[in-house]
């Protein structure tokens, strides 16, 4: 509770500093509008049907891309965890490909996939897959040896050990990768929309910025920031449902 209160107070301090800088003209209000002006622009967006169409387009691309990225990464990680040779073969490719910014693929993919849903999904899946794969692969490959050997002593097969020992123990670290991927999914979606145009919050920000509508641009940036916070909270809640038992048991052990 205290941690959340500190964050809220910090946010209020940031808003107060923003308002003072704008009110006293330290930065021109044309480039740094007052909070009341940004709030009015935000209210206009929230009462606009086209805004919600663009918002829904961004959320759909982000969530579908994140889901398939996580599913693909987890499947690859399970196979590489079961077969070390596969993991060693994929490791250099993962290290190289994760360093390539997803928006850098947009010009090439426009010619391959065209300007359509496939382009957005490909860029988001590409950007989100590697953090999840690396976290999951490392977690599955470094399971507690005592647990693995105990499973073998009870006659469990390698796949049974994977599903019943390695995977449950790896969920916390897997979700660490998914939380990183969730942030990347939003960034990749908005960046692609800014480059490609059409519908989406990224396209709205691009049009507002180049039309010098600074209040609209800041209002949209606020919406994207809130969307990122909500997405992170949802992933954290899912993690608690699937892997919260480890945290609870750790706390019980600490108080024992």
């Amino acid at each position: 509770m205290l941690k959340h209160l500190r964050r809220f107070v910090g946010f209020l301090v940031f808003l107060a500093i923003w308002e003072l800088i704008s009110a006293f003209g330290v930065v021109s209000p044309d480039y740094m509008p007052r909070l009341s002006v940004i709030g009015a622009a935000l209210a206009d967006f929230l009462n606009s049907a086209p805004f919600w169409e663009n918002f829904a387009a961004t959320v759909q691309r982000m969530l579908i891309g994140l889901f398939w990225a996580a599913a693909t990464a987890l499947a690859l990680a399970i196979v590489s965890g079961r077969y070390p040779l596969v993991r060693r073969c994929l490791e250099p490719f993962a290290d190289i490909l994760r360093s390539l910014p997803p928006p850098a693929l947009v010009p090439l993919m426009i010619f391959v996939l065209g300007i359509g849903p496939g382009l957005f999904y490909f860029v988001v899946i590409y950007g989100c897959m590697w953090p999840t794969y690396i976290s999951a692969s490392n977690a599955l490959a470094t399971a507690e040896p005592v647990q693995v050997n105990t499973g073998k002593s009870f006659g469990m097969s390698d796949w049974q050990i994977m599903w019943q020992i390695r995977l449950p123990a790896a969920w916390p670290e897997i979700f660490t990768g998914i939380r990183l991927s969730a942030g990347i999914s939003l960034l990749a979606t908005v960046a692609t929309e800014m480059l490609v145009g059409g519908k989406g919050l990224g396209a709205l920000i691009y049009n507002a910025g180049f039309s010098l509508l600074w209040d609209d641009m800041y209002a949209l940036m606020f919406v994207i920031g809130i969307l990122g916070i909500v997405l992170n909270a949802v992933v954290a809640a899912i993690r608690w449902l699937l892997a919260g038992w480890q945290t609870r048991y750790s706390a019980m052990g600490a108080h024992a």
Side-chain angles (χ1 to χ4, degrees), residues 2-243:
L2 183 60
K3 179 178 67 173
H4 296 297
L5 181 61
R6 289 173 178 171
R7 291 178 179 176
F8 182 70
V9 171
F11 181 66
L12 290 180
V13 170
F14 169 77
L15 293 180
I17 293 174
W18 179 293
E19 182 69 12
L20 290 173
I21 291 175
S22 179
F24 286 99
V26 178
V27 177
S28 172
D30 292 335
Y31 302 109
M32 198 172 182
R34 300 191 67 170
L35 296 179
S36 58
V37 177
I38 297 174
L42 178 60
D44 290 339
F45 277 125
L46 296 179
N47 292 316
S48 169
F51 165 79
W52 290 109
E53 293 177 3
N54 286 277
F55 181 86
T58 296
V59 171
Q60 180 183 19
R61 293 161 180 164
M62 176 184 68
L63 292 181
I64 292 177
L66 177 61
F67 172 80
W68 284 111
T72 303
L74 186 56
L76 283 176
I78 290 173
V79 173
S80 65
R82 171 63 183 83
Y83 302 105
L85 178 61
V86 175
R87 183 169 182 265
R88 289 194 293 269
C89 291
L90 288 176
E91 189 171 2
F93 292 100
D95 290 337
I96 294 172
L97 294 176
R98 69 170 176 165
S99 303
L100 183 63
L105 296 173
V106 172
L108 174 62
M109 289 298 106
I110 287 177
F111 293 101
V112 177
L113 300 173
I115 299 178
L119 171 64
F120 293 96
Y121 295 142
F122 176 85
V123 174
V124 175
I125 290 171
Y126 173 86
C128 296
M129 190 173 77
W130 303 115
T132 301
Y133 167 76
I134 292 172
S135 294
S137 177
N138 290 337
L140 292 171
T142 58
E144 181 61 43
V146 173
Q147 297 176 350
V148 174
N149 292 331
T150 301
K152 290 180 178 179
S153 69
F154 278 96
M156 298 176 68
S157 66
D158 289 336
W159 279 112
Q160 287 177 319
I161 291 174
M162 173 62 68
W163 294 115
Q164 299 179 32
I165 295 178
R166 292 183 184 272
L167 187 59
W171 276 122
E173 191 169 344
I174 290 173
F175 270 98
T176 299
I178 293 176
R179 289 183 72 173
L180 291 173
S181 296
I184 294 174
S185 72
L186 180 56
L187 294 174
T189 301
V190 171
T192 304
E193 290 169 348
M194 294 178 71
L195 292 172
V196 175
K199 287 187 176 181
L201 295 178
L204 290 182
I205 286 183
Y206 184 90
N207 293 333
F210 279 87
S211 299
L212 304 182
L213 301 174
W214 305 115
D215 50 344
D216 288 356
M217 186 186 72
Y218 285 121
L220 291 167
M221 290 171 63
F222 177 79
V223 170
I224 291 174
I226 295 299
L227 181 58
I229 293 173
V230 172
L231 179 61
N232 183 70
V234 169
V235 174
I238 296 174
R239 178 198 181 279
W240 181 257
L241 290 174
L242 293 179

